[in-house]
Amino acid sequence: MIDPSARIHATADLEAGVTVGPGTSVWHRAQIRSGARIGRDGVIGRDVYIDEGVTLGDRVKVQNSALIYHGVTIGDGVFIGPGAILTNDRRPRALNASGERARAEDWQVSPIRVDAGASIGAGAIVVAGCDVGTYAMVGAGSVVTHDVPAHALVAGNPARCIGWVCVCGERLVDTMGRLSTDAPDAPDRELHCPACGRRYGRSPGDRALRERVHPEVSA
């Protein structure tokens, strides 16, 4: 179902059974396959490919030429940069064990989940079976081969954690104002955002940072 308020460019190719929520824009030559579900107030850029059954939450921005394959689930407020690729097969082959052309039954989907508020940079690749946590940020051109914790900043090939980021996207710093380049080494160690004041820490046994206290709002 295409909501009447959605804006679909005349050159976009939407198969039967696609759902597009209110206020979402789908631009030039985007292709959206059957069963895909796109939430409200999103933007699907030029030449984007969204495969069968993919789910996008509300207010998702998918930039030009990004490729999102079957098995991917994307939460609310996620940013997918231009040319980014989210795959679904960890051991791809054109042929099966008998030497015949591989068919759907010859391989198994390895799903990807990108949680709310995360950002995937331009040209980045997320390998099948890897999840990206809430408000994490994947640097441009990175290749993600392992799960990315919430609020982690990862970059490189393979992508490695080089710091931590706030909900607002700013790099987090420690109590001395130094950029944090690794995970807090103790549950009571605190990081904060120099831009908006949010504070973060982690619980014992938890790889991901979590927001502890919202900054007080002045009257």
Side-chain angles (χ1 to χ4, degrees), residues 77 116-119 134-137 150-152 164-172 192-193 195-200 209-215:
S119 297
T134 306
Y135 291 106
M137 187 172 289
H151 293 281
W164 301 88
V165 289
C166 181
V167 166
C168 72
E170 190 75 19
R171 290 280 300 269
L172 298 178
H192 72 274
C193 175
C196 71
R198 287 179 169 89
R199 298 197 290 268
Y200 297 84
L209 286 186
R210 303 191 187 280
E211 188 174 353
R212 285 185 167 173
V213 181
H214 286 281

Side-chain angles (χ1 to χ4, degrees), residues 69-72 87-90 104 106-112 128-129:
Y69 287 99
H70 176 61
V72 175
T87 69
N88 63 4
D89 191 350
R90 291 193 69 91
D106 294 318
W107 66 286
Q108 182 175 357
V109 172
S110 296
I112 289 172

Side-chain angles (χ1 to χ4, degrees), residues 61-143:
K61 291 189 71 172
V62 183
Q63 300 286 67
N64 296 355
S65 301
L67 308 177
I68 305 174
Y69 287 99
H70 176 61
V72 175
T73 300
I74 293 177
D76 294 342
V78 167
F79 174 88
I80 307 291
I85 304 174
L86 284 73
T87 69
N88 63 4
D89 191 350
R90 291 193 69 91
R91 294 178 292 276
R93 292 291 197 198
L95 306 178
N96 63 21
S98 301
E100 300 172 336
R101 183 168 61 87
R103 301 182 183 277
E105 59 270 19
D106 294 318
W107 66 286
Q108 182 175 357
V109 172
S110 296
I112 289 172
R113 186 184 72 252
V114 182
D115 288 336
S119 297
I120 311 295
I125 298 171
V126 182
V127 173
C130 299
D131 294 335
V132 179
T134 306
Y135 291 106
M137 187 172 289
V138 176
S142 300
V143 179

Side-chain angles (χ1 to χ4, degrees), residues 1-7 20 22-23:
M1 182 184 72
I2 312 299
D3 189 90
S5 67
R7 295 175 291 276
V20 180

